[in-house]
Amino acid sequence: MTRPRVICSRKWPASVEAALRARFDVVLNQADVALSAAELKDALDNFDAVCPTVTDTIDAEVLAAPGRARILGQFGVGFNNIDLEAAKAAGLVVTNTPGVLTDATADIALTLLLNVARRIHEGQTMLRAGEWTGWRPTQLMGTSPQGKTLGIIGMGRIGKAMAKRCFHALDMEIVFHDAYPITDPGVPAKQLATIEEVLQVADFVSLHCTGGGDNIHLIDAARLARMKPTAYLINSARGDLIDEAALVAALEAGAIAGAGLDVYEREPALSAALTGMANVCLLPHLGSATIETREAMGMTVVENLSAFFEGREPPNRVA
Ligand code: 8YV
């Protein structure tokens, strides 16, 4: 029996690549260089399954008349890099990897919160530059999160995991906005009717909604202006949720206190102004970057593909 032909757009954890090899006729990307649009089209023409990541733009043009592909097995929970309507129109099934990266991503959101609150990166930069002259009572005083209000935008799995951490570990008050009524936030938390209401009361605003579509620039100049001047914006979700130019302007004007960012509007590029701001903590999209999580994400893709090619419903089908 011929085995399905599968291609991965990037290098994956070795244990997952072994699992793929055991089941499929697989082409792996050991060089780990992102595929061009032409190479992605070629992959759709010649493989039964294409496994992209957030770095692959699978738009309508790439998806026009795929010759052979029947399934896109996205490595990641977010899939705003894929034009879902175009994929459906092309007859492709699309799957993602929810659940397995919830804790890792919430950990990074919490890390960013604590970093900006306690000025961790500023302290480390000072030390590494050899500029620490010794302890002083007023040196690098940050902000205590205890008793402050965390505002979550998007109370899904990761939003709830962030709420849990901040409620139990930091004694924070939790408010949130979600497009749907959330009856099980997991910890005491108040759902507010609008994003504006959250922005007005929160000391830390953490984004946990999906990117793309109507959510592009969800946080724009007008919404940044609703935040307290003492508040911090945390984004571990998707870069396009924030109008990055508007964020830079708000930070330059002192309209908000700072930001913790793991994702950017035009990754891997980021606004140069951000890199010069001491009140901004910047990470290179590390949300799910633990060995355990990346292996679990890969094995979830393997399960999705296995189910599909065995004629079963893939467990994590999004289209
Ligand atoms: C991934 C993520 O690293 O899963 C997601 O949606 O943002 C990250 O954790 C990346 O997207 C993989 O494609």
Side-chain angles (χ1 to χ4, degrees):
M1 201 183 87
T2 53
R3 304 199 302 171
R5 295 201 77 208
V6 173
I7 183 167
C8 295
S9 70
R10 304 303 294 257
K11 184 171 168 52
W12 288 15
S15 59
V16 184
E17 292 189 341
L20 284 165
R21 271 196 214 97
R23 290 167 179 77
F24 309 112
D25 177 6
V26 64
V27 168
L28 303 168
N29 185 350
Q30 296 305 300
D32 203 15
V33 176
L35 301 184
S36 65
E39 286 168 328
L40 288 169
K41 273 177 92 67
D42 192 62
L44 288 161
D45 279 342
N46 293 296
F47 290 82
D48 300 297
V50 177
C51 301
T53 75
V54 70
T55 58
D56 303 303
T57 303
I58 317 269
D59 58 16
E61 202 186 316
V62 167
L63 285 163
R68 177 164 175 169
R70 294 161 60 207
I71 179 167
L72 294 174
Q74 170 84 348
F75 183 99
V77 64
F79 45 84
N80 61 321
N81 56 305
I82 300 172
D83 183 331
L84 225 51
E85 291 311 312
K88 277 193 250 180
L92 288 171
V93 165
V94 182
T95 59
N96 71 342
T97 66
V100 293
L101 46 72
T102 302
D103 286 322
T105 308
D107 287 346
I108 281 290
L110 177 64
T111 301
L112 287 169
L113 187 154
L114 286 171
N115 255 275
V116 292
R118 298 302 306 275
R119 307 178 65 178
I120 305 297
H121 54 289
E122 287 179 76
Q124 184 158 148
T125 303
M126 176 194 281
L127 268 173
R128 286 179 187 267
E131 289 169 358
W132 191 40
T133 53
W135 188 90
R136 285 186 286 122
T138 58
Q139 188 171 58
L140 287 178
M141 292 189 294
T143 305
S144 297
Q146 282 76 18
K148 300 274 168 56
T149 299
L150 170 69
I152 292 182
I153 315 282
M155 200 62 155
R157 279 179 290 258
I158 301 171
K160 288 177 189 173
M162 177 63 167
K164 179 172 127 187
R165 283 156 175 71
C166 293
F167 177 79
H168 288 296
L170 302 178
D171 289 329
M172 295 184 78
E173 304 279 331
I174 317 288
V175 299
F176 68 92
H177 173 77
D178 195 279
Y180 301 96
I182 303 295
T183 54
D184 59 340
V187 292
K190 188 172 177 198
Q191 180 158 13
L192 301 179
T194 63
I195 291 174
E196 281 71 17
E197 285 172 73
V198 171
L199 299 176
Q200 273 159 11
V201 299
D203 299 301
F204 296 86
V205 174
S206 193
L207 307 181
H208 296 286
C209 40
T210 55
D214 291 343
N215 283 353
I216 292 174
H217 290 185
L218 189 82
I219 303 298
D220 57 10
R223 285 192 164 143
L224 285 162
R226 298 290 188 115
M227 288 176 64
K228 296 183 187 181
T230 49
Y232 294 86
L233 180 62
I234 309 296
N235 190 8
S236 60
R238 276 294 176 272
D240 63 7
L241 293 172
I242 300 178
D243 178 342
E244 207 168 285
L247 174 63
V248 168
L251 288 162
E252 281 172 343
I256 65 171
L261 307 173
D262 188 40
V263 287
Y264 307 89
E265 201 176 337
R266 286 170 288 275
E267 290 178 18
L270 67 157
S271 305
L274 291 174
T275 61
M277 294 176 176
N279 55 344
V280 177
C281 179
L282 304 167
L283 296 179
H285 202 145
L286 292 181
S288 61
T290 70
I291 296 166
E292 296 86 348
T293 304
R294 289 284 162 80
E295 284 181 347
M297 289 164 72
M299 292 313 292
T300 303
V301 178
V302 174
E303 283 164 30
N304 282 322
L305 298 188
S306 299
F308 178 79
F309 289 116
E310 286 164 16
R312 294 179 284 120
E313 180 68 8
N316 308 114
R317 184 172 176 167
V318 294

